[in-house]
Amino acid sequence: MGTKPNVVKLQKTEILSRNTKIDARVVSAQARLERELKGLGVEIKPEFKVEPPLGRGTTRLSSQNF
């Protein structure tokens, strides 16, 4: 039988208080900017770029089972 772990959703203020390296003013300014842009009709899409840790060269797999 599979059981899911209980996940507790935290409030934004609690997350910011736990993570002292995050500037709450920057987070609120970014949220305000997104609201303003959305009001102007600009579509905001997050963009993520994931690359291999050693660059885009050929993938080299090493194995000791030769």
Side-chain angles (χ1 to χ4, degrees), residues 6-50:
N6 292 337
V7 178
V8 178
K9 295 262 184 175
L10 299 174
Q11 297 294 326
K12 288 183 181 182
T13 55
E14 188 174 349
I15 293 171
L16 290 174
S17 66
R18 286 185 180 189
N19 297 298
T20 57
K21 291 184 179 182
I22 298 174
D23 189 358
R25 293 177 294 163
V26 173
V27 173
S28 62
Q30 188 262 346
R32 189 178 330 110
L33 176 62
E34 282 188 5
R35 283 193 307 271
E36 290 176 13
L37 291 173
K38 191 173 183 178
L40 294 172
V42 177
E43 183 180 345
I44 301 170
K45 296 186 295 186
E47 183 177 324
F48 300 98
K49 294 183 180 178
V50 179

